[in-house]
Amino acid sequence: MTPNDLQADNLSSDTPPSDTPTARMLSWARNSAVYRLERQMMTEKQLFDAITRKARQKFEDISQEQLKAVADFAVKFAYDLNALNDTDYAQVSTQSAVRSGKSKRAIAQKLQVKGIDREIAALALEATDDLYAAVVFARKRGFGPFRRGELDDKRKAKELSAFARNGFGFEIGRKVFDMSLGEAESALRKDAVR
């Protein structure tokens, strides 16, 4: 190595990183987005955060501007492929949560954490039925009409408070609590037919 080569190396290491991501960074972002979206459905925020986090680990000297540009590129690439859609994510996530006994309130909170816009979340939650979800919740926990043991004051308080902790209003919790087994099974069948 000549002294000029050493000087050129020193200059390149002293130069601050560019604001524009390299072709290698963009290629990695594209591949990383495809890999993540093949494995699971994600929101825009989730993909942006995942790419940002991994890019920080992968590229040692990446600047904040490059980091944002790489994550933005991955999100745009995913949208261009129609592999990213917050509205579809909200719809699928909401339907799945209702079928597993989650309340509207709990679902809305989870969608907000995932980065779904309030309006999109409200649209997804429009068609949900908290009564159906509460019956599913009761069936999973063995509450109300699905109770196997005897009801005493302690058990009653435990069941009603569990409904409240899981985001169901008092009226819905009370309604499910007072249902007969036949009424509860009928409520589950009615919603399955819709």
Side-chain angles (χ1 to χ4, degrees):
M1 251 185 169
T2 65
N4 286 341
D5 290 337
L6 286 173
Q7 192 175 17
D9 273 352
N10 285 342
L11 283 176
S12 66
S13 66
D14 291 341
T15 1
S18 166
D19 292 349
T20 309
T22 64
R24 179 173 168 253
M25 289 176 184
L26 295 177
S27 176
W28 171 84
R30 184 176 48 251
N31 294 338
S32 186
V34 168
Y35 172 77
R36 284 166 180 23
L37 292 169
E38 281 179 340
R39 298 177 71 91
Q40 71 179 25
M41 196 172 191
M42 299 178 95
T43 65
E44 181 179 327
K45 179 185 183 303
Q46 287 177 307
L47 181 61
F48 185 92
D49 291 348
I51 296 293
T52 302
R53 186 177 53 253
K54 284 297 188 179
R56 251 191 218 111
Q57 294 171 359
K58 178 129 179 96
F59 305 106
E60 294 173 7
D61 296 333
I62 192 167
S63 70
Q64 281 303 114
E65 292 80 14
Q66 286 175 318
L67 204 55
K68 183 177 179 339
V70 164
D72 285 338
F73 175 80
V75 168
K76 184 185 177 323
F77 176 75
Y79 269 116
D80 290 346
L81 285 178
N82 290 328
L84 193 65
N85 186 329
D86 282 0
T87 304
D88 288 348
Y89 181 92
Q91 202 68 36
V92 169
S93 182
T94 298
Q95 290 170 357
S96 174
V98 168
R99 283 192 307 271
S100 66
K102 303 286 186 224
S103 69
K104 279 185 181 183
R105 198 173 296 151
I107 297 167
Q109 189 173 24
K110 184 177 179 182
L111 290 176
Q112 184 180 8
V113 167
K114 300 281 185 182
I116 300 292
D117 183 64
R118 285 184 192 267
E119 292 173 16
I120 293 172
L123 284 173
L125 289 166
E126 257 178 21
T128 60
D129 181 7
D130 251 3
L131 181 61
Y132 172 79
V135 172
V136 171
F137 175 74
R139 182 179 62 191
K140 285 173 77 173
R141 299 285 297 269
F143 289 166
F146 303 98
R147 184 181 318 105
R148 289 186 185 89
E150 288 298 313
L151 181 65
D152 58 5
D153 288 342
K154 185 178 177 184
R155 174 93 178 171
K156 181 178 180 179
K158 177 184 175 185
E159 289 183 18
L160 289 174
S161 63
F163 280 109
R165 278 193 312 275
N166 285 282
F168 297 105
F170 179 76
E171 296 79 27
I172 289 178
R174 172 58 91 183
K175 190 171 186 175
V176 173
F177 184 82
D178 292 336
M179 281 182 171
S180 71
L181 183 58
E183 291 171 330
E185 288 174 346
S186 175
L188 291 174
R189 277 193 304 274
K190 260 191 255 176
D191 199 68
V193 171
R194 283 187 207 172

